[in-house]
Amino acid sequence: MENVHLAVEDDDLYSGYNDYNPTFDSEELENDVGFQQAVRTSHGRRPPMTAKFPGTAIGGRPLASSIGSRIPMASSMGRPMTGAVQDGAARPMTAVRAAGYSSLLTRGSTFDPLGQSRGPAPPLEAKNDDTVEEKIKILEKKVNDLIEESCMAQSIGALQLALEKAKEAGRKERALIRQREQSGNSEHINLDLTYSVLLNLANQYANNEMYLEALNSYQVIVKNKMFSNAGRLKVNMANIYFKQKNYPKAIKFYRMALDQISNAHKEMRIKIMQNIGVVFVRLGQYSDAITSFEHIMSESPNIKTGFNLILCYYAIGDRERMKKAFQKLISVPLGIDDEDKYIPTSDDPSSNMVIEAIKNDKLHQMERNLKVLAEKYIMTAAKLIAPAIETSFASGFDWCVDMVKSSQYVELANDLEINKAITYLRQKDFNQAVETLKTFEKKDSRVKSAAATNLSFLYFLEKDYDQADRYADLAMNADRYNPAALINKGNTVFVKKDYEKAAEFYKEALRNDSSCTEALYNLGLTYKRLNRLEEALDCFLKLHAILRNSAQVMYQLAYLYEPLGDPQQAIEWLMQVISVTPTDPHVLAKLGKLHDDEGDKSQAFQYYSESFRYFPSNIDVIEWLGAYYIETQFCEKAIQYFERATLIQPTQVKWQLIVASCYRRSGNYQKALETYKEIHRRFPENVECLRFLVRLSTDMGLKEVQEYATKLKKVEKMKEIREQRVKSGRENSGRGRREGREGSTGSADSGRSSSSSKGERLSAKMRSLPGSNEPYEASSPKELDASYVDPLGPQIERPKTGAKKLVDDDDFADEDLGDDLLPE
């Protein structure tokens, strides 16, 4: 027991726990100097000195421990007892290291199982970039990066940047080749990299329309025999020749490319042959084009080639082959799965989630676009060949409809029927169009709604509002969510001046289709009629955000800003209208009026003059210009405007009186006298004319003075008798209505004395042209009445028609601001 020592509190409980015989420490053999010396020399092959302690070379030799220190082995007296500690010695280590519970030999050391106290690992050896191979690799990477950057720039539309990157890649690639040749590694030149650089450069030249440089770059690739499959690039060269309209050379290169592409690449060969057929069409060689298209339709039929084949047959006028080609066109397989697979058929939520995920994915969008394109080609082909394949348009269209009904495009038959009615409309055969549309009243809801919408539109244009209202109701009942039907219904209510109800229909149309521009436009017009100008302004501002270049919308905005007290904004919007329709005389006149109201006479004169130049029959413009020249004391120039007004309104005596007055003001009394005589001949009872004749004849000493004076007295007497008769007749009509009629008589008398038929247009300056007491000069200069009538009149106020669009966008370019916009 004397050798047993009890552990005190300061003792390390784990001291010596990891000590073990270093003989079994294989990890430290590399650091064992004795072991390494034995391996390198014959020392390890010597027999052991003693066999007393197996595993040791010399009994008293200290051996290496797992922590690098030397521990003397115990004597042969026996194994030390557990827990016993020799003087200054640690507990022998076991062969298995405990997980995390290790203790150092020396007491008081920190617990560091991960060896973090040793410090960071030594840094890796730096890579030597000075070697030739490393430089070549870095340069190759730069070239590849430049090619990638060039392609990315092209994808976002930065064509000039893409070309610069391609050129820089070419320069770097040539430097790379020179560096390989200088290092003696010319046999390891990367041909794929060279091919990529040249091809990208040629493509970027072509994208930037530098066709000569592109052709040279393609030629470098094609002529190099080391590039495999370079012959395909002749297709690119042929495309450039096609853009340059060098069609013979394009055909030559297409055929060369076709010869160098094997039959294994069937799709590529079909596309090249399709290009050859298109070039033959451009050359007018329809028979050669037909040969190419027929081969494609027999090998690998597609919608575009079938449509081109019909066009070629139509060009040569072959009826029978047109029919056969149309049958081939509608039988082309699209390779599209049934739409029913996108409809949930079970209650399984996981499968329904999958269906929802694929319902609008890229593949389904591509399928829809392909189907829409096929329907477009079939509809266009039917409309094209219908008048040509039979004796009449109707019978030809009926044949096309029958063929479509027996094909995979059954739902197109109804659309073709509606198209037939629209074609009747283009041919001005309205009765046939109406009869055709009426046949759809018993069809399914979608077709019935479309037909009823068109019928409502037609009756609305014919101003048969009752029928238009009936068919609008029918279209709404068939499809309540049809915005066009709701617009037509709103229009029929609008013309009955029930603006509140019309606004509700337009709002419902917008709820069903927020992009319906016709409903938004009509709603703005309705608010304007209701004098809710702020709401109308909001509608037209929203519409302007959609239709940026619509002159109608911008004109309505200018029209609204004027009563809202912001004439400068009105002028700005009218300037935008002029930028879209620079020759519109009404807008120019409106600009002139606004500048005149602002006191800018010079700008007003400029716009009024431009308006007169484009439309010299606007009485308001003529009147303003004539008054402007009178005000500026250029009466001779005013005469030409009032003479034109005389031609436009020959029954209005005031224009001829103003012309005579201008002659007097300019001092040409003889011409003024002749003009007054002509006026008296045409209007013998005009008092003003006779007064001026008496005055001029007196001043000029003519002998006709007495004659004119007698006529003047007679006319004045007749006028008094006429007035007395009117007055007595009103007095006998009853006391209750006498006052009102006397007032109207007074206004009528004043109207007759001023010799104006639709209210006095001229200012006090114009009306005060010489009277009986002032034969030659007006009293005082006053301004012209600048009252303005909306140049577009009620036409711009007419609501938009919500019918299905009856004409294609390309059929006409309408610049009249008052015409209706037809929805899609």
Side-chain angles (χ1 to χ4, degrees):
M1 293 295 294
E2 60 184 0
N3 294 328
V4 176
H5 300 278
L6 297 177
V8 294
E9 292 182 0
D10 294 337
D11 290 345
D12 186 1
L13 297 178
Y14 299 101
S15 175
Y17 187 76
N18 286 333
D19 296 344
Y20 62 98
N21 194 330
T23 306
F24 304 104
D25 186 8
S26 59
E27 296 178 359
E28 294 293 333
L29 291 177
E30 294 181 358
N31 299 326
D32 190 342
V33 178
F35 179 79
Q36 293 296 332
Q37 182 180 0
V39 170
R40 288 194 297 269
T41 62
S42 61
H43 181 75
R45 293 191 294 270
R46 293 178 183 179
M49 297 290 294
T50 177
K52 186 183 291 184
F53 298 101
T56 59
I58 302 175
R61 182 187 175 189
L63 299 177
S65 67
S66 61
I67 56 174
S69 59
R70 300 292 181 175
I71 302 175
M73 293 293 294
S75 65
S76 60
M77 294 178 64
R79 178 181 178 184
M81 297 180 64
T82 303
V85 180
Q86 302 292 336
D87 294 337
R91 177 182 175 180
M93 301 178 69
T94 60
V96 179
R97 179 189 292 265
Y101 295 100
S102 61
S103 176
L104 298 176
L105 289 178
T106 58
R107 299 194 179 194
S109 61
T110 58
F111 180 70
D112 186 18
L114 300 179
Q116 296 177 356
S117 60
R118 299 178 184 177
L124 298 175
E125 293 184 2
K127 199 171 184 179
N128 190 5
D129 294 338
D130 295 335
T131 62
V132 176
E133 286 300 325
E134 288 299 327
K135 288 182 179 180
I136 289 175
K137 286 182 181 180
I138 293 172
L139 200 53
E140 279 187 355
K141 187 177 184 306
K142 287 182 180 179
V143 173
N144 282 313
D145 291 342
L146 285 171
I147 294 174
E148 185 176 349
E149 291 173 8
S150 175
C151 296
M152 293 299 293
Q154 178 196 349
S155 66
I156 62 175
L159 301 181
Q160 188 63 35
L161 178 63
L163 180 60
E164 292 299 327
K165 295 289 184 181
K167 288 180 178 179
E168 188 177 354
R171 290 191 291 269
K172 295 282 186 184
E173 196 270 337
R174 287 192 293 273
L176 175 64
I177 291 176
R178 286 195 299 270
Q179 196 162 352
R180 282 190 179 277
E181 291 175 349
Q182 291 173 2
S183 63
N185 294 330
S186 58
E187 66 276 4
H188 295 103
I189 292 177
N190 192 343
L191 290 177
D192 292 337
L193 184 62
T194 305
Y195 181 85
S196 301
V197 169
L198 291 174
L199 179 59
N200 181 58
L201 181 61
N203 289 338
Q204 301 308 331
Y205 275 134
N207 293 332
N208 284 271
E209 298 183 359
M210 301 171 66
Y211 296 131
L212 183 60
E213 291 84 351
L215 289 172
N216 291 335
S217 299
Y218 283 128
Q219 199 71 25
V220 170
I221 302 174
V222 170
K223 287 186 175 181
N224 195 331
K225 301 299 182 181
M226 300 180 69
F227 297 139
S228 60
N229 298 323
R232 296 186 180 186
L233 297 182
K234 291 182 179 178
V235 176
N236 296 18
M237 301 173 72
N239 290 340
I240 293 176
Y241 286 124
F242 180 83
K243 291 177 182 177
Q244 293 177 333
K245 297 185 178 180
N246 190 351
Y247 300 128
K249 213 159 190 178
I251 291 177
K252 175 184 176 182
F253 274 84
Y254 279 134
R255 285 177 170 169
M256 290 170 64
L258 194 64
D259 293 338
Q260 296 185 10
I261 295 176
S262 64
N263 294 328
H265 302 87
K266 182 179 179 181
E267 186 176 354
M268 186 70 178
R269 292 178 61 85
I270 290 295
K271 289 181 179 180
I272 294 174
M273 292 188 69
Q274 189 169 342
N275 288 0
I276 292 173
V278 171
V279 178
F280 276 129
V281 170
R282 292 294 182 93
L283 289 171
Q285 300 177 14
Y286 299 113
S287 58
D288 295 328
I290 288 171
T291 302
S292 297
F293 292 144
E294 284 181 342
H295 176 75
I296 296 172
M297 292 300 289
S298 62
E299 293 291 330
S300 177
N302 61 80
I303 290 291
K304 189 177 292 186
T305 303
F307 180 71
N308 288 340
L309 185 59
I310 291 176
L311 293 180
C312 292
Y313 287 144
Y314 180 82
I316 64 176
D318 194 331
R319 293 185 177 183
E320 293 301 322
R321 296 170 84 180
M322 269 190 274
K323 289 183 177 181
K324 292 180 180 178
F326 186 78
Q327 291 173 340
K328 285 183 180 179
L329 178 65
I330 60 178
S331 62
V332 170
L334 297 179
I336 298 176
D337 293 336
D338 191 6
E339 290 288 330
D340 294 340
K341 73 176 183 179
Y342 298 106
I343 301 174
T345 56
S346 64
D347 296 333
D348 185 10
S350 60
S351 62
N352 291 340
M353 288 178 62
V354 172
I355 291 173
E356 286 296 326
I358 67 173
K359 187 177 290 184
N360 200 34
D361 61 354
K362 294 292 185 182
L363 178 60
H364 193 201
Q365 290 177 8
M366 185 186 71
E367 290 177 349
R368 280 202 303 264
N369 293 337
L370 181 60
K371 189 174 182 181
V372 169
L373 182 66
E375 291 177 353
K376 177 185 175 183
Y377 281 143
I378 292 171
M379 292 283 287
T380 307
K383 289 189 289 185
L384 178 69
I385 68 174
I389 58 177
E390 298 291 345
T391 55
S392 66
F393 159 76
S395 56
F397 225 104
D398 291 338
W399 181 89
C400 293
V401 171
D402 293 338
M403 291 296 103
V404 170
K405 284 181 179 178
S406 61
S407 70
Q408 56 183 325
Y409 304 98
V410 181
E411 64 275 7
L412 271 185
N414 292 325
D415 293 337
L416 281 172
E417 290 278 3
I418 292 179
N419 237 288
K420 179 181 176 182
I422 294 172
T423 309
Y424 278 131
L425 284 177
R426 289 180 178 162
Q427 296 175 353
K428 309 299 182 185
D429 193 349
F430 297 104
N431 294 329
Q432 282 290 341
V434 171
E435 290 299 323
T436 305
L437 290 172
K438 284 183 177 179
T439 59
F440 289 96
E441 292 186 14
K442 296 182 180 179
K443 298 282 186 179
D444 58 30
S445 60
R446 184 184 68 84
V447 180
K448 185 194 298 184
S449 179
T453 301
N454 281 314
L455 284 170
S456 176
F457 163 70
L458 289 174
Y459 284 121
F460 185 84
L461 291 182
E462 293 178 353
K463 297 185 178 179
D464 188 352
Y465 299 126
D466 293 332
Q467 287 285 358
D469 186 65
R470 186 172 77 85
Y471 279 102
D473 288 334
L474 183 62
M476 288 169 56
N477 293 333
D479 184 5
R480 184 69 186 186
Y481 298 100
N482 183 358
L486 292 165
I487 292 173
N488 282 347
K489 180 64 177 177
N491 291 350
T492 58
V493 177
F494 185 95
V495 296
K496 296 176 183 176
K497 299 184 179 180
D498 190 354
Y499 301 123
E500 292 288 351
K501 193 173 181 181
E504 291 301 321
F505 284 112
Y506 297 142
K507 288 178 183 177
E508 186 176 353
L510 284 171
R511 284 194 294 270
N512 293 336
D513 183 7
S514 59
S515 64
C516 185
T517 56
E518 291 78 18
L520 192 56
Y521 187 93
N522 292 351
L523 184 61
L525 290 183
T526 307
Y527 284 143
K528 193 168 75 170
R529 289 293 180 91
L530 292 170
N531 204 28
R532 293 155 63 175
L533 300 182
E534 292 290 346
E535 295 177 68
L537 185 67
D538 183 57
C539 288
F540 287 115
L541 285 174
K542 289 179 181 177
L543 194 58
H544 177 67
I546 302 172
L547 306 174
R548 304 295 297 181
N549 295 322
S550 174
Q552 286 178 301
V553 176
M554 291 186 283
Y555 181 83
Q556 292 295 342
L557 287 168
Y559 183 92
L560 289 169
Y561 273 115
E562 187 179 4
L564 287 172
D566 195 348
Q568 289 300 324
Q569 278 288 343
I571 290 173
E572 288 295 328
W573 283 107
L574 286 176
M575 292 299 294
Q576 293 193 39
V577 177
I578 289 298
S579 67
V580 178
T581 56
T583 60
D584 192 302
H586 304 298
V587 178
L588 290 167
K590 185 73 173 176
L591 272 170
K593 177 198 175 294
L594 290 173
H595 281 292
D596 188 27
D597 293 343
E598 293 293 305
D600 192 348
K601 293 286 185 182
S602 60
Q603 282 289 340
F605 174 73
Q606 177 184 347
Y607 287 116
Y608 273 122
S609 299
E610 284 294 303
S611 177
F612 178 79
R613 185 164 69 91
Y614 291 118
F615 183 56
S617 300
N618 191 329
I619 289 294
D620 298 323
V621 175
I622 292 171
E623 186 178 5
W624 192 93
L625 289 170
Y628 175 81
Y629 280 117
I630 289 176
E631 183 182 350
T632 55
Q633 305 298 322
F634 289 101
C635 297
E636 298 87 351
K637 291 187 177 181
I639 291 172
Q640 61 178 337
Y641 292 102
F642 291 118
E643 284 180 343
R644 182 173 289 276
T646 303
L647 295 175
I648 297 171
Q649 295 180 346
T651 59
Q652 296 291 328
V653 68
K654 67 173 183 178
W655 305 122
Q656 301 179 41
L657 288 172
I658 295 172
V659 171
S661 176
C662 290
Y663 280 126
R664 284 191 300 105
R665 284 170 170 268
S666 62
N668 193 347
Y669 302 119
Q670 186 62 37
K671 188 69 175 175
L673 181 63
E674 292 175 3
T675 306
Y676 280 123
K677 286 181 179 180
E678 180 65 23
I679 295 171
H680 176 66
R681 187 182 66 80
R682 298 183 61 187
F683 304 95
E685 296 183 359
N686 188 272
V687 177
E688 297 295 326
C689 179
L690 285 171
R691 285 176 182 171
F692 284 120
L693 281 172
V694 171
R695 179 65 61 181
L696 279 173
S697 300
T698 301
D699 293 341
M700 296 175 70
L702 300 177
K703 59 183 179 179
E704 294 95 342
V705 175
Q706 189 62 38
E707 178 185 354
Y708 291 133
T710 304
K711 289 182 179 180
L712 178 60
K713 289 179 182 179
K714 187 184 295 184
V715 171
E716 286 178 343
K717 188 175 182 178
M718 290 175 63
K719 182 179 179 182
E720 289 176 2
I721 294 171
R722 195 179 299 118
E723 289 175 354
Q724 287 176 1
R725 285 177 181 175
V726 173
K727 185 177 181 180
S728 63
R730 287 176 178 171
E731 288 176 353
N732 296 332
S733 63
R735 185 172 300 183
R737 300 169 61 187
R738 184 174 56 211
E739 294 180 359
R741 294 199 174 188
E742 284 178 353
S744 63
T745 305
S747 64
D749 293 340
S750 64
R752 280 193 293 271
S753 64
S754 65
S755 66
S756 176
S757 63
K758 59 175 183 176
E760 201 56 50
R761 280 291 189 176
L762 297 179
S763 65
K765 177 183 179 63
M766 301 294 292
R767 291 197 303 271
S768 63
L769 288 174
S772 57
N773 298 325
E774 300 170 351
Y776 303 122
E777 295 294 333
S779 58
S780 61
K782 297 181 181 178
E783 292 184 357
L784 179 67
D785 182 12
S787 62
Y788 182 78
V789 180
D790 189 349
L792 302 181
Q795 194 176 17
I796 193 68
E797 301 290 333
R798 188 171 62 188
K800 300 295 177 175
T801 304
K804 177 180 172 67
K805 189 167 185 180
L806 298 184
V807 290
D808 293 335
D809 293 333
D810 297 331
D811 287 350
F812 66 94
D814 189 7
E815 292 185 356
D816 189 354
L817 298 185
D819 283 349
D820 292 327
L821 293 176
L822 303 180
E824 293 291 346

